[in-house]
Amino acid sequence: MARFVRAPGGLSLRLEVRALVVVVALLLTVLTASVVLIGTGDFPIPVGDVLKTLLGDGNAGQEFIVNELRLPRVLVGLLVGASLGLGGALFQSISRNPLGSPDVLGLSQGSTAGALVMIVLFSGSAAQVTAGALVGGLVTGLAIYLLAWKQGVHGYRLVLVGIGVSAVVTAVNGYLITKADLVDATRAVVWMTGSLNGRDWDQVWPLLWLCAILVPVVLANARGLRMTEMGDDVSYALGVRVERVRLVLMLAAVLLTAAATAAAGPVGFVALTAPQLARRLTRSPGPNLVPSMCMGATLLIVADWASQRLFGADQLPVGVVTGVLGGVYLLWLLVTERKAGRI
């Protein structure tokens, strides 16, 4: 159900009531899960003490554990999940395809290639690996855009080109692993799994600033993106500069995906599943950008809690958990699409 709200200056805003309820519910869920996750570990802290510590009223030991060890990890998880959810929603809307996510299009693999180059060829530091992942994602995104361009970028061609680029980059990544020595290969494989272990404030601030810049840009172009889903001809007739909107939003999606991969490694399937789950909850047409962000953050935080608590003494990288859940979801999506006659 949608309502129109009259704003000062004669402007009117379309408010999706169900979508607003879903966003609020997801925010409450992810905030609760974040507090529980901060209190989880070898030194458990009750939820009440976590809240007191976050408000600056904990003892010295609790403040060190919460503010220096666990809070940065949770914030990286929130930002990475939100970035992947938003990036996935943008790509799926631009390509008009539920499989049009950074995982399928090869952007995550491109960021991985950039990181592997720094690890294997240069034995780079953590900062250099992060820079390599950003550059790799940007180069891969540019290559996909140029190869898919033919009087504009269209969804079907974008997905096909992305799958081809993904296959090539995956082969390059495998070659780089075989050329590495044992220490670098081990380090690379751990990074490629996707993990939030050991994340600190050095990963929080760059990702936070990037989101603070890109999210308003994306939301400012959300109306144009929604118009493009009606077709290019209709969008042009309504005054939307279609290719400009697509280029700006694709660049934003590439940067968000590359930055998320640089911060936590290639965490699989969050970008694929978050927008689709958000769409099913809101039952709203259009890109569902804000619900997808909230869903992505929720999925990653819950998966990180599961990776720490559901496997006994063994703590799994969060990428393993999201990979299993995402693979099951992908199979379900393919079966559903086939029954509907769309594939």
Side-chain angles (χ1 to χ4, degrees), residues 147-161:
L147 290 172
W149 175 271
K150 184 179 180 182
Q151 297 179 342
V153 174
H154 300 283
Y156 186 69
R157 188 164 58 245
L158 181 67
V159 172
L160 289 179
V161 169

Side-chain angles (χ1 to χ4, degrees), residues 140-218:
T140 305
L142 178 62
I144 293 172
Y145 185 84
L146 294 177
L147 290 172
W149 175 271
K150 184 179 180 182
Q151 297 179 342
V153 174
H154 300 283
Y156 186 69
R157 188 164 58 245
L158 181 67
V159 172
L160 289 179
V161 169
I163 291 173
V165 170
S166 176
V168 172
V169 178
T170 300
V172 171
N173 292 343
Y175 172 76
L176 288 172
I177 290 293
T178 63
K179 299 299 291 183
D181 60 37
L182 182 59
V183 174
D184 287 339
T186 302
R187 180 185 173 198
V189 169
V190 170
W191 189 90
M192 290 172 63
T193 305
S195 174
L196 296 175
N197 293 337
R199 298 306 184 262
D200 56 26
W201 292 103
D202 290 338
Q203 283 83 37
V204 172
W205 293 117
L207 194 53
L208 180 62
W209 281 111
L210 189 68
C211 289
I213 294 170
L214 291 180
V215 171
V217 172
V218 170

